[in-house]
Amino acid sequence: MGQQELIQASPSRSFRLRSRSLNSLRLRRIFDMFDKNGDSMITVEEINQALSLLGLEAEFKELESMIKSYIKPGNVGLEYEDFVALHESLGETYFGVPDEKEEETQNEDLWEAFKVFDENGDGYISAKELQVVLGKLGLVEGNMIDNVQKMIVSVDTNHDGRVDFCEFKDMMRTTIVRC
């Protein structure tokens, strides 16, 4: 698929990363999750693997075509700054200038993200579900249920032991980055 075709293609809602509430801390966390070997660089293979583990299938050749122009000469993958540039480009290419439907789009994006964690589809994220997703991503918290339960408690405003969509949305929209 050529660059012109990529620009005209409609991305799946599951692949969207763009949202005004997605700040640099969240983007850095995504980068670190994709960087499986910890070399501060993510390859097309690492991105493809992470997306696949999250159930977001993408054609390898399309990913490679989209990403290769952001990889600096001599590098085997994207450094963080390259990843940010790619993210910004995807936003401009696929989503253009925000309009009055931005709030609705953000809710749809957040709902798609929520569904990744709500594995059984009951409308709640339990500690066990969060632990499973973190484990799929290869994060150490995937083996530490006590830490995962603390994560749930920190977001669980109604104290029912799980995270509903409103709590998830509030958490995603209120994270503030301190530089």
Side-chain angles (χ1 to χ4, degrees):
M1 185 178 272
Q3 183 67 20
Q4 186 64 21
E5 291 169 324
L6 280 175
I7 291 171
Q8 294 174 351
S10 293
S12 80
R13 289 185 175 162
S14 299
F15 186 70
R16 288 186 201 179
L17 296 175
R18 172 114 171 148
S19 169
R20 282 194 171 182
S21 65
L22 183 61
N23 58 35
S24 61
L25 177 61
R26 290 192 198 112
L27 197 57
R28 182 67 205 207
R29 287 181 182 163
I30 292 168
F31 179 87
D32 291 342
M33 282 190 272
F34 287 7
D35 183 16
K36 288 295 188 189
N37 62 3
D39 66 353
S40 297
M41 194 173 295
I42 53 175
T43 63
V44 177
E45 292 83 7
E46 287 172 320
I47 293 174
N48 191 47
Q49 180 185 23
L51 292 174
S52 179
L53 288 171
L54 292 171
L56 306 173
E57 297 298 326
E59 281 291 321
F60 183 83
K61 291 290 184 192
E62 288 180 30
L63 277 176
E64 185 176 48
S65 173
M66 190 182 328
I67 293 169
K68 70 180 177 184
S69 65
Y70 291 89
I71 298 173
K72 291 180 183 137
N75 285 351
V76 296
L78 297 167
E79 294 176 333
Y80 178 69
E81 296 76 23
D82 306 328
F83 184 69
V84 171
L86 172 64
H87 175 263
E88 290 171 356
S89 173
L90 286 173
E92 292 168 9
T93 301
Y94 287 108
F95 309 111
V97 177
D99 61 15
E100 66 276 355
K101 292 187 177 185
E102 184 174 348
E103 182 70 24
E104 181 181 327
T105 300
Q106 286 180 1
N107 279 334
E108 290 172 5
D109 292 346
L110 288 170
W111 182 248
E112 290 297 323
F114 181 83
K115 290 190 309 188
V116 169
F117 292 94
D118 180 20
E119 291 200 320
N120 66 6
D122 68 353
Y124 299 95
I125 301 170
S126 68
K128 186 64 182 164
E129 287 172 315
L130 179 56
Q131 182 184 27
V132 167
V133 172
L134 295 174
K136 285 180 181 178
L137 291 171
L139 299 175
V140 68
E141 289 85 356
N143 297 321
M144 305 168 75
I145 191 66
D146 290 342
N147 288 357
V148 173
Q149 288 170 333
K150 288 176 188 174
M151 289 178 196
I152 294 290
V153 167
S154 73
V155 176
D156 181 19
T157 57
N158 67 2
H159 309 293
D160 66 354
R162 54 195 182 167
V163 176
D164 61 33
F165 179 67
C166 289
E167 292 165 331
F168 179 82
K169 184 168 67 170
D170 289 344
M171 182 225 22
M172 294 298 283
R173 289 187 171 166
T174 60
T175 300
I176 299 172
V177 178
R178 303 266 186 231
C179 296

